[in-house]
Amino acid sequence: MTVARLADLIRERGPALVLTGAGISTESGIPDFRSPSGIWAKYDPQEYATIEAFRADPGKVWSFYALRFRALTEAEPNAGHTALAQLEQTGRVKAVVTQNIDLLHERAGSRDVVEVHGSIRTSTCPGCGARYGLEDVLRLLERDAAPRCGECGAVVKPDVVFFGELLPEDAIDRAYELARSARLLLVVGSTLEVWPVSQLPEETRAAGGVVAIVNKGPTSFDDRAAVKIEGSAGETLAALVERLAVD
């Protein structure tokens, strides 16, 4: 399948709803989770990424997240993030639903971003409910390996969704609403393995829309997609912007 066919779909059925996963951010130097060289190959998610693990030993969990926070704040949006922001500005993209917590869509200029797995933007104290912005947490990490609340002394929790936690209700409800109303859902950099986000393509298809996929490697929806492009997000989406620019 070609970028030309994807451009035709956007012309026919746009604006598209976009769903992004870790594969769009790997091109910014952020490792994915599930590949052989991904994060879960080095860290056991049961020890570092569950809400039970955080409650049992928040310091140990922060030994993982402190490295993640620093890497994510140092990363820069890549050509894929920039292309999606440009497509939104020209009316070709309605919104971006992302599984990523890295804020790169926002930093690239996307305005309507639905963060279904939370983000590193804030952290919250589980003891007293005090909230801390990213810069505050980074300053706390300079003094302590596990950032503590200035109000009550408890270790604060990043506002990302841990295994065992529910997704933010408003975000996932809006994601499903957008998927049902989309005439075209474009999946970028996701293998569509993580429930309930993995069900969004079926929501679009059941409502009469079509699904297009840009991903390196197979996804669980390839056999039902109108278009599947095997390639990098940055290269493919930049080419898509160029293709649509002639309109």
Side-chain angles (χ1 to χ4, degrees), residues 23-42:
I24 193 171
S25 292
T26 54
E27 294 172 44
S28 293
I30 298 172
D32 64 11
F33 289 91
R34 298 173 184 276
S35 72
S37 59
I39 290 172
W40 299 148
K42 302 173 184 176

Side-chain angles (χ1 to χ4, degrees), residues 51-73:
I51 188 61
E52 292 81 8
F54 181 83
R55 289 168 178 160
D57 192 347
K60 179 178 180 178
V61 171
W62 267 107
S63 71
F64 163 73
Y65 267 98
L67 299 174
R68 291 275 292 153
F69 267 49
R70 293 189 178 97
L72 295 178
T73 53

Side-chain angles (χ1 to χ4, degrees), residues 94-105:
K94 179 180 179 64
V96 175
V97 174
T98 186
Q99 299 170 274
N100 299 330
I101 63 170
D102 51 38
L103 304 179
L104 292 181
H105 285 299

Side-chain angles (χ1 to χ4, degrees), residues 147-206:
R148 293 186 176 274
C149 175
E151 300 295 326
C152 71
V155 176
V156 302
K157 177 191 171 296
D159 289 335
V160 301
V161 178
F162 286 25
F163 291 114
E165 288 190 297
L166 296 175
L167 271 60
E169 186 175 355
D170 289 348
I172 195 62
D173 285 352
R174 181 152 189 260
Y176 267 73
E177 178 184 342
L178 287 166
R180 294 185 189 111
S181 64
R183 298 181 67 232
L184 171 63
L185 173 62
L186 172 58
V187 178
V188 180
S190 175
T191 57
L192 298 172
E193 293 182 9
V194 180
W195 188 89
V197 178
S198 60
Q199 302 305 302
L200 292 178
E202 189 54 50
E203 293 290 322
T204 296
R205 202 170 74 114

